[in-house]
Amino acid sequence: SLTLLHTVSIAVGQIIGSGIFISPNVIIKGVGSMGLSLIIWTVGGLLSLCGALCFGELGAICPKAGGEYQYVKLTYGRMASFANLWILLIVNSMAVAVISLTFSTYFLSLFMDPSYTHFETIKKVVAAVAILTVVSICMYGTKAGVWVQNGFTITKFLALLFLVCLAIAYLYQGHTEG
């Protein structure tokens, strides 16, 4: 069975999405300032916190198994909750693809130059193998899946902490330009 530590790890692992390691560069280029991009990330984090608090409140109001399905069903009816599940199926599948491609890009960059001719093909193969590996581990059992999830969450948290410390040190040295 899952403990509080395991469920917190799953929640934190979902909150610290893999996209955070790709999108900051796009935001900094878009706004032209590291300081403004930090403000945007802070506002985004606060909005995410508001969403999490709303889901917590909904969970207290409607303590049934099924989460978002139950919330939509209670508010809009069965048809809307069924449609919402299909939308989530598509969106979550795309999210898995993006996360696995992000992983494979960073992983392969350790071993080969991204300008290599067949890099994109190899990246897709590694992403597919990563998905199959995680699915296989989760099929093996809940405990195995939880340990993998805990490992990924700790890795993402430590990487994010390292990047924040690096950014603070960079700003502390007086580099405030875009």
Side-chain angles (χ1 to χ4, degrees), residues 34 38 163-177:
M34 188 180 298
L38 288 174
L163 289 175
V164 167
C165 290
L166 199 62
I168 290 171
Y170 190 74
L171 286 172
Y172 183 74
Q173 292 174 351
H175 299 283
T176 56
E177 67 280 351

Side-chain angles (χ1 to χ4, degrees), residues 103 126-140 148 152:
F103 163 76
V126 170
V129 168
I131 291 171
L132 291 174
T133 301
V134 170
V135 167
S136 299
I137 291 169
C138 290
M139 286 175 56
Y140 182 72
V148 169
F152 285 150

